[in-house]
Amino acid sequence: MLVDGHNLLWRAAFGFPAEIRSRDKTRDLTAPFGFFALLRVAIRDELPAAPEVIVVFDGEHGSVERQDSDADYKANRELDDGARKALEAIPVVQRGLHLYGIPWIEIETAEADDVIATLITHTRDRPAWIFSTDRDYYQLLNEQVRVLNTAMHPGKRHIGPDDVAARYGVGPAQWPSFCALKGDPADNIPGVRGIGAATAARLLDGGLSLDDLPASGRLAGAGAKGKLVEQQWQQVLAWRDLIRMRTDLPLPLEPTGDASAELPKPAEVIEKLELW
């Protein structure tokens, strides 16, 4: 189970059903409490057996390389007081993970998705779950790799290749091409004006990638929308490269194949961290 640490922490900080405060009411503990609560419940209720858990956090300068290629990449993410509150909880969460023997990775110059993509190549064909609400991970899916999204309704939380194909009309390998065409608001990638998800899926129907489109005749057959894609072709290719995850990062640790220790109730974690 590879956990997108920042993604889960944001859910805990801003989507947890109740505010959790210290006994003297002076400290907001919602983010770390919610993090361990959501993680514990996901493991307990969603997985068939105790998994090996590795939590991955975005590095402080993880987005720099992509932002050097496109200054607009993630430029829509403002660091307001609320966001700072979540970020300030990261060292607390990391200390809690360490106390219970849950390994975590934070590479200063890497985004969590690239680290997780690289870790997937080291799972030795074992079943793996990526615990995140970020759809960019769909590009990593196969018969062994699933996304676990507990923000979805029960019964729809385990997402595999067939689920992506049924909902979007594309396969995992096509995901970067698909998002480059239609856009990805979460990462501030606008896509081609006038090209929505349905049109992007039609252009890529049959397993095509962006590289296949020029010779396929589909852009010409798409009329004005095809011309728009042709006019922005180099930009579309650049957007695809931004969306593609790296799988070749040097890692400070690799999966061992051994199940992680069971997490206690989140209140016990907060107690052990001496935060109450």
Side-chain angles (χ1 to χ4, degrees):
M1 183 182 191
L2 304 175
V3 181
D4 184 344
H6 274 73
N7 182 277
L8 183 58
L9 189 56
W10 249 251
R11 280 185 62 198
F14 305 114
F16 204 64
E19 185 180 71
I20 309 295
R21 301 194 72 84
S22 58
R23 292 188 178 101
D24 61 7
K25 308 301 182 185
T26 61
R27 295 188 306 280
D28 185 348
L29 303 175
T30 309
F33 185 99
F35 181 97
F36 287 104
L38 292 169
L39 179 57
R40 182 174 186 267
V41 168
I43 294 170
R44 183 193 68 196
D45 294 352
E46 300 295 337
L47 303 189
E52 176 183 7
V53 179
I54 300 176
V55 181
V56 183
F57 296 93
D58 289 317
E60 182 178 356
H61 304 293
S63 299
V64 168
E65 184 176 342
R66 285 183 171 92
Q67 288 170 338
D68 285 344
S69 299
D70 188 331
D72 291 330
Y73 178 72
K74 292 188 176 180
N76 55 333
R77 302 190 183 187
E78 296 182 4
L79 189 61
D80 57 16
D81 290 341
R84 288 190 181 90
K85 181 179 70 173
L87 290 174
E88 288 168 359
I90 292 173
V92 175
V93 168
Q94 291 174 340
R95 189 156 54 94
L97 292 169
H98 178 73
L99 286 173
Y100 290 96
I102 306 293
W104 54 270
I105 298 174
E106 182 179 345
I107 300 174
E108 183 179 359
T109 57
E111 295 188 72
D113 51 5
D114 293 320
V115 178
I116 287 175
T118 302
L119 282 165
I120 286 293
T121 69
H122 293 260
T123 56
R124 303 181 182 89
D125 296 322
R126 290 185 291 133
W129 290 267
I130 300 169
F131 188 25
S132 181
T133 63
D134 187 345
R135 289 191 291 264
D136 280 348
Y137 290 111
Y138 290 175
Q139 66 190 272
L140 303 178
L141 299 180
N142 57 40
E143 292 307 311
Q144 292 284 77
V145 180
R146 296 287 187 273
V147 164
L148 172 61
N149 181 357
T150 56
M152 301 286 282
H153 293 297
K156 297 182 178 180
R157 294 174 173 176
H158 294 245
I159 301 160
D162 291 345
D163 302 297
V164 174
R167 180 170 181 181
Y168 299 101
V170 296
Q174 296 173 290
W175 190 259
S177 297
F178 176 66
C179 289
L181 288 167
K182 75 173 186 63
D184 184 356
D187 290 338
N188 206 37
I189 294 172
V192 179
R193 179 172 52 86
I195 303 294
T199 301
R202 282 197 298 271
L203 289 172
L204 301 172
D205 186 47
L208 271 63
S209 70
L210 286 181
D211 296 324
D212 302 316
L213 281 184
S216 69
R218 291 188 183 177
L219 293 178
K225 291 184 177 182
K227 290 186 184 303
L228 287 171
V229 175
E230 290 175 337
Q231 289 166 5
Q232 297 187 59
W233 184 247
Q234 292 304 316
Q235 181 63 73
V236 173
L237 294 177
W239 287 330
R240 180 190 60 182
D241 291 342
L242 290 177
I243 297 162
R244 277 177 170 168
M245 295 178 181
R246 292 184 57 185
T247 59
D248 60 350
L249 295 181
L251 298 174
L253 60 89
E254 295 184 8
T256 65
D258 300 322
S260 297
E262 182 180 355
L263 281 172
K265 294 179 180 178
E268 294 178 35
V269 179
I270 298 300
E271 187 73 49
K272 193 166 185 176
L273 287 167
E274 300 180 343
L275 293 176
W276 283 128

